[in-house]
Amino acid sequence: MIKGTVKIDAKICKGCELCIVACPQNALALSPNFNDKGYRYVELIYDACTGCVNCALVCPEAAITVYRQAKSSKKSQLKSE
Amino acid sequence: MIKGTVKIDAKICKGCELCIVACPQNALALSPNFNDKGYRYVELIYDACTGCVNCALVCPEAAITVYRQAKSSKKSQLKSE
Amino acid sequence: MNEKLLLDDGTELEQVFCRPDTLTDVPYHYCPGCGHSVVHNVLMEVVDELDIQDKTIGVAPVGCSVFAYHYMNIDMQEAAHGRACAVATGIKRVLPDKLVFTYQGDGDLAAIGTAETIHTVNRGENILIVFINNGIYGMTGGQMAPTTLPGMVTSTSPYGRDIHMSGYPLKITELAAQLPGAYYVTRQSVHNPNAVRKLKKAVTKAFEYQMQNKGTCFIEVVSNCPSGWKMTPVETIKYLEEVMFPYYPLGDVKVPKE
Amino acid sequence: MNEKLLLDDGTELEQVFCRPDTLTDVPYHYCPGCGHSVVHNVLMEVVDELDIQDKTIGVAPVGCSVFAYHYMNIDMQEAAHGRACAVATGIKRVLPDKLVFTYQGDGDLAAIGTAETIHTVNRGENILIVFINNGIYGMTGGQMAPTTLPGMVTSTSPYGRDIHMSGYPLKITELAAQLPGAYYVTRQSVHNPNAVRKLKKAVTKAFEYQMQNKGTCFIEVVSNCPSGWKMTPVETIKYLEEVMFPYYPLGDVKVPKE
Amino acid sequence: MEKEIRKEEPRLMKGNEALAEAAIRADIDAYFGYPITPQSEVIEYLMREVPNRKDKKIVVLQAESEVASINMVYGAAGAGARVMTSSSSPGISLMQEGISYIASAQLPCLIVNVVRGGPGLGTIQPSQGDYFQATKGGGHGDYHLIVLAPASVQEMADFVFDAFHLAEKYRNPAMILADGALGQMMEKVVLPPDGGLSKQPKPWATTGKTKDRNHNIITSLFIQPEEMEKVNLELQKKYEAMQSEVRWEEFQTDDAEILLVAFGLSARICQKVVDLGREKGIKIGLLRPITLYPFPYKRIDELADKVEFILDVEMNAGQMVEDVRLAVEGKVPVYFKGRMGGMIATPEEILQEIEAIHEKQNVLHD
Amino acid sequence: MEKEIRKEEPRLMKGNEALAEAAIRADIDAYFGYPITPQSEVIEYLMREVPNRKDKKIVVLQAESEVASINMVYGAAGAGARVMTSSSSPGISLMQEGISYIASAQLPCLIVNVVRGGPGLGTIQPSQGDYFQATKGGGHGDYHLIVLAPASVQEMADFVFDAFHLAEKYRNPAMILADGALGQMMEKVVLPPDGGLSKQPKPWATTGKTKDRNHNIITSLFIQPEEMEKVNLELQKKYEAMQSEVRWEEFQTDDAEILLVAFGLSARICQKVVDLGREKGIKIGLLRPITLYPFPYKRIDELADKVEFILDVEMNAGQMVEDVRLAVEGKVPVYFKGRMGGMIATPEEILQEIEAIHEKQNVLHD
Amino acid sequence: MIKEQEIIIAGFGGQGVLSMGRLIAYAGMIEGKEVSWMPSYGPEMRGGTANCIVIVSDSRISSPIITKFDTAILLNQPSVDKFEKAVKPGGLLIYEQSTVIHPPTRTDIEIIGISAIEEADKLQAKQIANMIMAGAFLEKRPILKIETLIEALKKALPPRRHNLIPLNEQALNRGRELVKQAELAHS
Amino acid sequence: MIKEQEIIIAGFGGQGVLSMGRLIAYAGMIEGKEVSWMPSYGPEMRGGTANCIVIVSDSRISSPIITKFDTAILLNQPSVDKFEKAVKPGGLLIYEQSTVIHPPTRTDIEIIGISAIEEADKLQAKQIANMIMAGAFLEKRPILKIETLIEALKKALPPRRHNLIPLNEQALNRGRELVKQAELAHS
Ligand SMILES: Cc1ncc(C[n+]2csc(CCOP(=O)(O)OP(=O)(O)O)c2C)c(N)n1
Ligand SMILES: Cc1ncc(C[n+]2csc(CCOP(=O)(O)OP(=O)(O)O)c2C)c(N)n1
Ligand code: SF4
Ligand code: SF4
Ligand code: SF4
Ligand code: SF4
Ligand code: SF4
Ligand code: SF4
Ligand SMILES: [Mg+2]
Ligand SMILES: [Mg+2]
């Protein structure tokens, strides 16, 4: 069952790869394709995502929205910590 | 016997009285007279001076020359300390 | 926010993180992987959470983050190079009930702005100073900063910073912490998710202290500059950990005695 | 010098102290009892004794001691308010074999000149900084200085320095001592003969260190301003001892590890 | 602005103090400054007086430098405050970057320069040596301050109101360009009424973004040249509009054959010259520019049609004289008489100069 | 100075780099500066190159600010060094106090302003918006810089020599007033010969008081107004003497009916305008002031006798045009064409302007 | 003979657009032409495009900054977006084809797509894409001899890096070929 | 009636020369005259003389700074040294006699020595010497009524210090007497 997932705004991703190294599940990778800004952008490559938010936290472009199978109705996971 | 004495340049003395309070012998006092600059200046009032240099060290105007019965040929007592 | 996502298999996922509301839609002009953006995100996240958008006034520096006002959806002023603290003082003194912060680079805060920084902290101005130390002048193309490490190559230290010529990197955060006006001084980073979490806590605290009129809060963020350092963003993380943090150790420098 | 005095009774007295040779004949313009003059005397005394008149270049500030160059019979430059350290850096860098010192008041060094002071010390410029802290702006008629004590009345703190408005007095000497570029940092005074003796030793050491290229030497002299403090010179001594020294304790702040 | 009739008793005050008291009455929100002779009485007066005005909330802060002062002014002005600073020549030079920023960001504020003799540390005696800096822009880029030049302690007070009025009307920094004598001297003054300058809303100010508007941004950065040019054109248009605010004063110009042009303290002296000259039968008139920017080019040009020559008198090496020459464009000769470094020409000295020129001119005309 | 024949191979260099290399060859003793676009290449080049010149002893120091830079320059210049700094508009504004001090203390040095669009933080694109600041005195008091305005990378290099030569001859600070395009662009340059600028003794410098002379004092403080006035008169006399150094360049002015006046990059563009105009049969000529201070008033005045009108072209809102009008004093109309904020008028645009004026003038003449 | 070429070269920083421009200017100088090279500078470089304007001319150059170009050599999408409209009618636009997802569309100019990055990868030398583009340009606008460009390269590179020259030459030639192929395809 | 008096008052800081001048100017204002008061300022005050220029006139005052005076009131030696020569021929110089060791010597002006400090000591009020000098001045140059001066004093002093007014009045009168005595002695 899927624990979590991410939506990545490919338009504003700059392909910095910081999310890739931050993801404990190694679930992210650079796409071979380019976006409007000329960058290769990041994609979720398989369903291992746990919704841990790590990638989103380090994403400079604030391009990642994270979803998780969780009760928390908090706006962000951070606050609950 | 006179152990020491001071010469005070009355022309440049500003009568600040700092030498007076610095003198361990209480040998200095303000003159009732005024100098060219309009200040009452300081005088050695009796022969108690030991040539200890204290007055000269604190004199802002560098107005005091000190003499002492001593072997030291050093320019100033300070150095010898 | 609080949006749900319904997957094909029927699983319902809850949104747990998204772009802060108090960011505008303008895409960052920063280089890929630049720490400035992350700090912006964190700041606006906190503004969201404390619900202080209407009370917060930011001061942007001259440096790569000069355009911070394009991204942060709050009232902002752009200060002359190095003068953000003076500008913030001007704002805070006439609007003491607002929350004022400066956002400054190492050239801005620790070189040309040294006097303003020291005196603002010394007066205990009730503001937050956010200090992005990337050890370089990013904006102008990678010159040596007061915080550039010994031996580090920049365009004005092409053979590495020579401490005999330029002295040791200036730890202005430690200086600031010495001043009685400084209430809370901390050194943070954004090089990994936990660091980001900690920074967010620090910023939250700082705003809370400001609401309580405690004096100056000072947050240094040891950050990166992939372009100036001539590294990929991922490489900068290693450099931070191996080279920068030993000189600029992370953690609180001065905490309130409560 | 080495002049003898023959008294009426035949006693021969030796001259043991006189006006330093390296002072000009120009009478000081300072107010009666002002500490500036004493520090001038000490400096020139040391120049005499080390025989460095031809090697020493002084930098005068803007402050009451702006005319220092009239009295000190050495080559001197008058710097803009607060910029003496920058001017001295300019001189020392092009004439590294000369002995360069600045002479600055608390407004000059610790307010407008803060950035120059901090960065000059941080670079470890091989100069001597003489810092006359009289807790007031003497020259301009007695305004509050960064070093004015809490509660002290000045013309811009007519109801006493209010730390909520202006912060605590800035101990810039302690800040300077923190910087690796600072080699020898000490706080002295001239309020009595022994203090003058100690200051003289400190100045001598500082010049000797400079000859050895050790880095920045920094001597604070906690001094008086009878006019600004509205006291007689003798009263200022008591104020120094009772009020100033407790806040600015005398003694070495940083000594070389030899 | 209409001049109201003032009921208050006249007071004997220093120019600097009258200016400071006027600032309180003009309801400034904040003053930021750094001591410097000959204007330190401004901050001293405020520090002393403001705590006694329980009805007012005025921030008075001694900054660590003039650079800090002007940037505090920038911040407070951007936040919507009525704010001012004061200094004297070297301190004003240090403010040039900040002034350029404020002009570019179009923030209203008041900068007072009580000029002393330069260049450099110079002397603390009165001078008019900063005319160029004030009117042509001592900072970088194309901008202008509104510049008012008082000639009495009365005007030191009054012009605070005028300066803020104009500054806020045009969202432009204003400067009062006085000199050490006007700052230090005492003379009679009837102070402007307390609270006599109303405050208009400043919807552009950074007071905290409310839901009903976009976030306000105070900036002088316009990185795209097209955009920067637009800002510049906007500024130029504003300066054009400001021309309508030009102010000057004339004495006995109706029948004048010789025109003196002088501002500030020099104009007071020239008034005496007019009297002395007329006693001798020389028909002298005087035009005193009150606003140095905008400058009364047109009026001087008109008067030039009627006079034999113009003598411009300043306490400097000749600065406003360029504007007088630009006004006149060669119609009549424009001469210059200046003293420098804190020296002030006496009325007799100026009259002599006039007589000498007069003679020379007549020789030429023969 | 006679121009020597240069044997070195031409190089392709940025203006900023050519200037820096020329400084090395002019045997500067020291450079103090702070990075700012568009001139950071000056310090970058020096930092890179100087360590390779083992025969030279040049101090290159990145200061903590422009305020520090200019005061380091003051110190080094006072100590007898050949010293320079460089910056761009906002940084130059911060230097105004220091510049006024240097001018007053009569110290030779070189200040380079690679101008960007102002006011405020503005834009980093090229501009000529700092003409007033450079020529009328952005700092306080009556003083003047020697101001040279290069129009090519070649002159960016050459004028370093000229500037130091003049600065040292007159003990006066000199400024090279370039713009972002001249600093950033590469073009062909034949560098001036290494060591080609000899050093004269500076007996006034603070190098340590030797027994055979009185102590040297570098100061700009002259507290007595009489003394300060004397210093001012001395300065004015020097400025008078400097008038003989005025330099300008003319293109096709012999038979010109329309005169363009432009400096720096604008003059390059106007040269093209002359060509384009003449292709169309419009007899345009161009005068390019090379020294902006001293200014070629006299020559412009002479040319005014021969032309129908003058068009002054600048990358600002109209600054040098005042000097042109002062030169001409109403003899012929003086028009102005300017672009601002980093925008640059094209030759076509300027020609159009000329044609429009021409038409208007003819209507007037009918 | 082409008397003048006003060229814009743009792409990401790191793609060598500035050095390509410099090389062209340098070669022009060697051939005795008037040349100018003007880089973009400042913060617009951050995360955006770097570019330079190169003018090679038989007569004196007035302003190095211009807004319309005879030729645009564009190495990424933002550059295409920005500079397509700046090409003079009848002018030339060469763009890097493998990374640009929205190719230029004007019909009043000549447009050539070159997969320079892909080709450079094939040569196992990423940094050589710019030279492939340069070759393509010179094939279309032979304002300079290839040999002069090589000569310029020799002068520009420190001796220890002269081993790279054959690679650069290869890239130039590859660019020329690619243009020919592209033209063939179109014709 | 005297239409104008241009006065310099000089002495040490602390001798009340500035306030004496201010009082005269204030009184002039009360009497409806034009007045100006201009102090010396700045570093020349350090260890030297403080002074102020007071102009009381029936017509508008041009510059408050002048270099020649109708009257000089000088309270110490440096002031005498500096301002003796600044008195207009025929003018008046009043100096404090008990501390000045080199009295003024000009013969083309009227010179009056007053032992104001000694007299003040006698009145057990050192700080009142300035008022004795002021009294002497007004005796010689009655441009203002003594009553106006007292009125001015009342306005200048805070109410809690109004007890000092009789003392000041006494001092003013003592000054007038001393002048009369001095004149008697000379005649
Ligand atoms: C008075 C002035 N001096 C210099 C500059 C040029 N300048 C712009 S940003 C900057 C430094 C940027 O470095 P930093 O503050 O560390 O910010 P970063 O770009 O690294 O975030 C400099 C020197 C300027 N704009 N104004
Ligand atoms: C740029 C500038 N700002 C202000 C001044 C005025 N000013 C002269 S000296 C001084 C401060 C003097 O105080 P300090 O440095 O403590 O020296 P002190 O007179 O007490 O010895 C000030 C503010 C100035 N000359 N220049
Ligand atoms: S939320 Fe966590 S697991 Fe999911 S992609 Fe991001 S980092 Fe990986
Ligand atoms: S961190 Fe953000 S910008 Fe960077 S690659 Fe991942 S999604 Fe893209
Ligand atoms: S030398 Fe010593 S004893 Fe003699 S007068 Fe001076 S302080 Fe007194
Ligand atoms: S210390 Fe010097 S100046 Fe002061 S009273 Fe004594 S002798 Fe005179
Ligand atoms: S230059 Fe450096 S600091 Fe600036 S945006 Fe790029 S990576 Fe960030
Ligand atoms: S004002 Fe103060 S510091 Fe200045 S000379 Fe007088 S006593 Fe000394
Ligand atoms: Mg940085
Ligand atoms: Mg002080």
Side-chain angles (χ1 to χ4, degrees), chain B residues 6 23-25 28 44 49-55 66:
Chain B
V6 292
C23 176
Q25 308 299 326
L28 301 172
L44 186 67
C49 174
T50 61
C52 74
V53 191
N54 278 1
C55 56
V66 184

Side-chain angles (χ1 to χ4, degrees), chain F residues 61-346:
Chain F
L61 186 65
Q62 178 174 329
E64 62 272 29
S65 70
E66 292 86 356
V67 171
S69 305
I70 194 70
N71 286 289
M72 290 174 184
V73 166
Y74 174 98
R82 184 170 285 168
V83 56
M84 67 180 286
T85 185
S86 63
S87 187
S88 179
S89 311
I92 298 288
S93 288
L94 282 173
M95 293 185 186
Q96 291 306 321
E97 189 203 25
I99 292 175
S100 177
Y101 269 71
I102 293 174
S104 186
Q106 305 203 45
L107 299 178
C109 69
L110 169 59
I111 302 150
V112 178
N113 184 359
V114 181
V115 183
R116 51 194 251 183
L121 188 48
T123 169
I124 53 178
Q125 298 307 315
S127 163
Q128 300 182 322
D130 300 356
Y131 177 93
F132 274 148
Q133 189 193 53
T135 62
K136 305 286 167 188
H140 58 287
D142 291 285
Y143 71 88
H144 285 290
L145 307 177
I146 298 160
V147 185
L148 290 158
S152 62
V153 170
Q154 183 65 52
E155 288 183 341
M156 288 288 275
D158 292 349
F159 286 6
V160 172
F161 279 62
D162 295 332
F164 276 118
H165 168 71
L166 292 171
E168 289 169 9
K169 180 169 171 187
Y170 291 98
R171 281 189 64 182
N172 202 70
M175 176 174 273
I176 291 182
L177 190 76
D179 67 66
L182 289 167
Q184 290 297 325
M185 73 188 285
M186 285 192 166
E187 62 181 358
K188 192 174 81 175
V189 54
V190 182
L191 289 163
D194 200 348
L197 193 63
S198 65
K199 286 186 181 171
Q200 305 302 322
K202 294 174 177 170
W204 45 262
T206 56
T207 52
K209 181 202 170 307
T210 46
K211 298 259 178 280
D212 56 342
R213 64 162 171 83
N214 285 334
H215 62 149
N216 282 338
I217 296 168
I218 303 293
T219 187
S220 67
L221 173 64
F222 307 95
I223 200 79
Q224 292 307 327
E226 295 80 10
E227 220 188 314
M228 187 77 233
E229 185 168 58
K230 232 182 263 164
V231 171
N232 267 295
L233 289 171
E234 196 179 310
L235 287 176
Q236 293 301 320
K237 221 167 102 181
K238 183 168 85 173
Y239 302 144
E240 198 49 47
M242 275 163 27
Q243 300 306 316
S244 65
E245 307 287 353
V246 66
R247 284 172 60 188
W248 70 91
E249 216 178 10
E250 295 179 28
F251 300 93
Q252 316 227 69
T253 48
D254 283 353
D255 63 342
E257 291 166 2
I258 292 163
L259 181 67
L260 289 171
V261 182
F263 72 96
L265 191 71
S266 298
R268 283 172 81 120
I269 296 165
C270 285
Q271 232 180 309
K272 183 83 159 245
V273 177
V274 172
D275 294 343
L276 289 180
R278 290 195 173 251
E279 278 170 27
K280 285 192 165 187
I282 314 175
K283 286 192 179 155
I284 310 177
L286 167 66
L287 182 142
R288 165 166 91 98
I290 293 172
T291 52
L292 303 184
Y293 189 91
F295 188 78
Y297 291 111
K298 210 167 127 254
R299 183 55 189 157
I300 293 175
D301 184 30
E302 282 165 17
L303 287 174
D305 288 331
K306 309 197 292 181
V307 300
E308 195 186 327
F309 67 87
I310 295 178
L311 178 66
D312 171 279
V313 179
E314 301 176 62
M315 284 146 60
N316 59 35
Q319 301 193 12
M320 184 176 71
V321 64
E322 288 200 359
D323 279 322
V324 174
R325 287 177 52 208
L326 285 169
V328 166
E329 293 220 299
K331 262 187 210 172
V332 291
V334 177
Y335 296 92
F336 172 72
K337 167 74 187 170
R339 294 295 301 265
M340 279 166 282
M343 297 300 286
I344 302 176
T346 61

